[in-house]
Each structure stands twice: as structure tokens, then as C-alpha cells.
Amino acid sequence: FDLSDINQSTDGDLVLRLIRVEQLLQEIHYSSVATLAFVRGPCYGAAAELVASCLWRVAEPNARFCMPGSHFGLILGSRRLTELVGEGGFRQLVFRDESFDAKEALESGFLTDIYEESGWPKIEEDILARVGKVDALTFSRILSQQRGDLRDCDLAELVRSASRGSIKSRILMYVNKIADKKIQKT
């Protein structure tokens, strides 16, 4: 969810982009196949939500994560993240002003592994070998049993939160607040 063109975007443009992001996240989360995310460097906002939507989530040791949506009144991926890390973990990771590192992400359950990028092919191979021990139909049915389908509820909550007042002004206030903090630190 790139904000480089936010000044040219309308509230309607932003709400539609957020809806499309949620639809993508749902496709991944409810996929009937194994999903795997590899993270290098900073992973913020919708990118972090994308990681949370995957079954396996691997990052290099210096990866950093941030989920700022709640700071501008957006409900995106809250239930999915709570499923991963629990209510306490959710509060610890989301209701903060700074990003969190790979170690904290692993300890909370947000990540499944931390490995240097050079080890990623081995991890992928291991996961595919484990998944391959179960036929595709059984794997798909297992996933459908583990994940109650709450797509409509999640999408409705996102739309409610994104369309409450001006999402553009809320995002801009957050971005300006972050910029002000950076200036104060220098």
C-alpha cells in the first residue's frame, strides 16, 4: 500500500485500494495450497499483513515489522494477526509507536522461522517435503477446517473503519506525526 501518491488520491481511491488489499490478503489466507513468505529488511503495513496471511513466515535476522493501521483508525488483518499471536501478542505488536524486530516476531508467533537468506531454499524444500506427504485434497480440507471463513466480516469491518470520516486525512496525520518524530530525533 504505497503512499507515494496519497496527495493525488481521494478518500474513495484509498478505500478501494484498501478493499483490494484485503481481498488479496483473504485469497492468500484462505488458499487451499501451502503459502510461504520470505522477508528481507523492513516490512511495514500491508506488506506485514501479507506475511501474516501465509502459513509459513520466514525472515532474515535483521528484518523489521510494523503494523500502523490502528494508528489511523484502520482495521485491516486484526483477526488474522490475533489468530497467529493471541490477543496479548496483538496488543504488544500493534499498539506501539516503533517497529519490532525478527526476534520479537518469532517469539510472538508472527514468524515461524528466522534464517539468513542463504538458507531460504532449504527451508522451502523442507516445507514442500512436509506438505507433499499429504495429498492435495486432504491438505486443502485440513486448511478449510482450521480457518473458519470470516471474509465477509473482515471486509465489512475494514470498509467501516476506512470510510469513517476521511481516511486520507487520517493517514496524512499519521505520516506527518512519524516525520515530526524523525525530525525531533535528529
Side-chain angles (χ1 to χ4, degrees):
F1 197 85
D2 182 13
L3 297 177
S4 63
D5 66 346
I6 191 167
N7 289 321
Q8 291 77 37
S9 299
T10 66
D11 283 319
D13 296 334
L14 294 169
V15 171
L16 181 59
R17 282 172 54 192
L18 288 164
I19 289 169
R20 297 273 195 250
V21 166
E22 175 62 20
Q23 289 172 327
L24 170 67
L25 297 174
Q26 288 181 0
E27 286 297 318
I28 293 166
H29 181 74
Y30 291 103
S31 176
S32 62
V33 298
T35 54
L36 170 61
F38 288 111
V39 180
R40 175 187 321 123
C43 183
Y44 295 173
E49 298 293 348
L50 179 63
V51 172
S53 297
C54 293
L55 290 173
W56 286 275
R57 302 162 307 281
V58 180
E60 64 180 6
N62 68 346
R64 295 205 62 82
F65 303 88
C66 183
M67 297 175 170
S70 63
H71 294 283
F72 46 87
L74 190 65
I75 309 297
L76 176 66
S78 297
R79 186 193 43 75
R80 287 185 294 269
L81 182 59
T82 302
E83 285 178 357
L84 283 180
V85 301
E87 290 180 23
F90 177 92
R91 289 187 295 274
Q92 184 178 4
L93 299 179
V94 173
F95 299 142
R96 62 193 305 157
D97 288 331
E98 71 281 344
S99 61
F100 54 98
D101 63 19
K103 183 178 182 227
E104 187 175 359
L106 180 66
E107 290 169 354
S108 71
F110 180 79
L111 289 177
T112 53
D113 287 300
I114 298 175
Y115 280 97
E116 293 290 343
E117 189 173 352
S118 61
W120 291 358
K122 174 75 169 116
I123 291 171
E124 183 178 11
E125 185 181 302
D126 290 348
I127 290 170
L128 290 173
R130 283 187 270 158
V131 170
K133 292 179 180 180
V134 178
D135 69 88
L137 181 59
T138 301
F139 187 79
S140 173
R141 287 182 174 162
I142 288 170
L143 290 180
S144 72
Q145 290 297 302
Q146 291 176 329
R147 297 181 169 181
D149 192 340
L150 297 170
R151 283 179 257 218
D152 290 344
C153 296
D154 290 346
L155 188 57
E157 191 57 45
L158 169 68
V159 170
R160 273 193 291 277
S161 69
S163 61
R164 183 179 46 89
S166 171
I167 186 66
K168 179 178 177 175
S169 63
R170 289 185 281 151
I171 292 171
L172 287 171
M173 284 187 344
Y174 173 76
V175 169
N176 291 334
K177 180 181 168 186
I178 296 300
D180 289 345
K181 282 185 180 184
K182 287 182 182 179
I183 290 170
Q184 290 174 358
K185 285 184 178 181
T186 58

